[in-house]
Amino acid sequence: MKNDFKSFELYEIYEKSINGKIKRNDIVELWDLDVYDLLYVAYRIKKTYNKNNIDLCCIINAKSGKCPENCAFCAQSIHSNTKIDIYGLKPKEEIVKFAKYMDQYSNRFSIVTSGKKITYDEFERILDTIKEIKNKTNLKVCASLGLLDKDPLKALKELDVRLHNNLETSEDYFNEICTTHDYKDKVKTIEKAKKIGLEVCSGGIFGLGEDFKERIKMFEDLKNLNVEGIALNILNPIEGTRIHSMIEKGEIKRITPIEALKSIALCRIMMPEKEIRLCGGREPNLKDLQSLSLLALDGLMIGNYLTTSGRAISDDLKMIRNMGFMVNL
């Protein structure tokens, strides 16, 4: 195996990663390495775990807008001035119809609602919708419903639902993007979910103004929380949000494609066995380099996002196959 690597340095990184000996400080030191060397190591790790398939997931914005939280990046916040559709929880029939359509392309389907928490009535309606999706499709169901207590988490566990709850960024940087709820609130929800045996997908957004060390600290927190899935997003600054204004004023810089790819590769090196997927913001940020991200990934989110459009699903399927990977359905 050692002779297969282009240098002993890269082999040492690989060995340290797959043996679970790589730490946050090690990842920080790797930042200055060439992005293609890091992608090379990430791909060798991916191959070691026989991850030749790309798992596809999709979402539906089941309840949009009027969120009281002040997350700087979010178009659905009442603190933003954006032109988005605003509506309450969609009817079960509408959500199930979309799930049935996406069943031909996707392996996972996530129901996402705006707001810090949902009401008891909304949660009961979502449970009923999940049962219908499981009855009418082959999709694995995920749910992103804000902060949840023990009883609703147990109800999701009974339906074999995967919880989604993003950390967004590192704890040290969190107050720069949100002050209406705390980083620890998200961590507590994830810990409660893990305690009762619920699968969890969590991640964050690159390009919020954080430096790479804060990004790597978020990776460490995700690793320590032992979540099953890692969801990586790249900021797509929407006009009317605070983060868009900060970029326009030059207060923070847009992330570059190379920086984004390097971050994805380092996430794989830090968490070799985890299910890592790339979600929102890949199209406008990675542009022609999107396919290179697959070297380090297990999954992609396809279709449209919460308030922005994705690209044609056929283009993503073509990209995956052109890179020599298979779609996991």
Side-chain angles (χ1 to χ4, degrees), residues 249-273:
K249 293 174 182 176
E251 295 173 2
I252 62 174
K253 294 181 179 179
R254 289 287 298 265
I255 191 170
T256 67
I258 295 299
E259 186 179 355
L261 285 172
K262 189 176 283 193
S263 301
I264 293 166
L266 289 175
C267 185
R268 165 60 67 207
I269 293 168
M270 191 165 189
M271 293 177 277
E273 79 289 1

Side-chain angles (χ1 to χ4, degrees), residues 99-240:
K100 289 168 73 174
Y101 171 75
M102 292 304 295
D103 192 20
Q104 63 187 309
Y105 302 113
S106 185
N107 188 42
R108 290 188 173 276
F109 182 86
S110 185
I111 298 173
V112 185
T113 57
S114 66
K116 184 176 180 179
K117 291 184 176 182
I118 55 174
T119 66
Y120 175 82
D121 178 66
E122 287 171 335
F123 184 71
E124 290 298 309
R125 288 167 58 193
I126 288 169
L127 289 182
D128 188 43
T129 301
I130 290 170
K131 291 174 185 176
E132 187 78 2
I133 291 171
K134 284 182 163 289
N135 185 45
K136 296 290 179 65
T137 75
N138 294 310
L139 291 163
K140 296 176 183 177
V141 181
C142 307
S144 183
L145 310 175
L147 303 180
L148 296 174
D149 295 321
K150 189 175 180 181
D151 286 342
L153 290 172
K154 283 184 175 180
L156 293 177
K157 167 65 176 172
E158 289 174 5
L159 291 177
D160 194 27
V161 173
R162 175 181 280 189
L163 179 73
H164 179 257
N165 192 309
N166 273 350
L167 296 181
E168 309 301 6
T169 187
S170 71
E171 183 173 11
D172 290 342
Y173 194 71
F174 190 82
N175 281 347
E176 297 295 323
I177 62 163
C178 181
T179 58
T180 50
H181 62 273
D182 193 71
Y183 189 85
K184 289 184 174 65
D185 295 333
K186 291 173 171 288
V187 170
K188 287 176 184 176
T189 296
I190 293 171
E191 287 176 338
K192 284 185 285 188
K194 292 291 295 179
K195 189 173 182 179
I196 64 173
L198 199 63
E199 281 196 5
V200 177
C201 177
S202 183
I205 306 172
F206 302 157
L208 296 171
E210 80 286 356
D211 65 25
F212 74 91
K213 291 181 181 179
E214 289 158 339
R215 207 171 297 148
I216 292 167
K217 179 61 173 68
M218 179 187 71
F219 294 162
E220 182 183 49
D221 287 350
L222 291 168
K223 183 176 182 178
N224 290 339
L225 285 167
N226 196 29
V227 297
E228 284 75 16
I230 311 293
L232 303 179
N233 300 269
I234 311 170
L235 178 68
N236 183 5
I238 299 169
E239 187 173 356

Side-chain angles (χ1 to χ4, degrees), residues 245-303:
S245 176
M246 293 169 71
I247 290 173
E248 289 289 296
K249 293 174 182 176
E251 295 173 2
I252 62 174
K253 294 181 179 179
R254 289 287 298 265
I255 191 170
T256 67
I258 295 299
E259 186 179 355
L261 285 172
K262 189 176 283 193
S263 301
I264 293 166
L266 289 175
C267 185
R268 165 60 67 207
I269 293 168
M270 191 165 189
M271 293 177 277
E273 79 289 1
K274 293 301 181 181
E275 180 188 293
I276 301 173
R277 68 180 69 240
L278 185 57
C279 304
R282 59 185 170 89
E283 298 90 349
N285 286 287
L286 292 181
K287 299 180 172 62
D288 293 339
L289 299 184
Q290 277 191 75
S291 59
L292 291 179
S293 68
L294 297 177
L295 296 171
L297 295 173
D298 305 306
L300 281 182
M301 181 178 287
I302 58 171

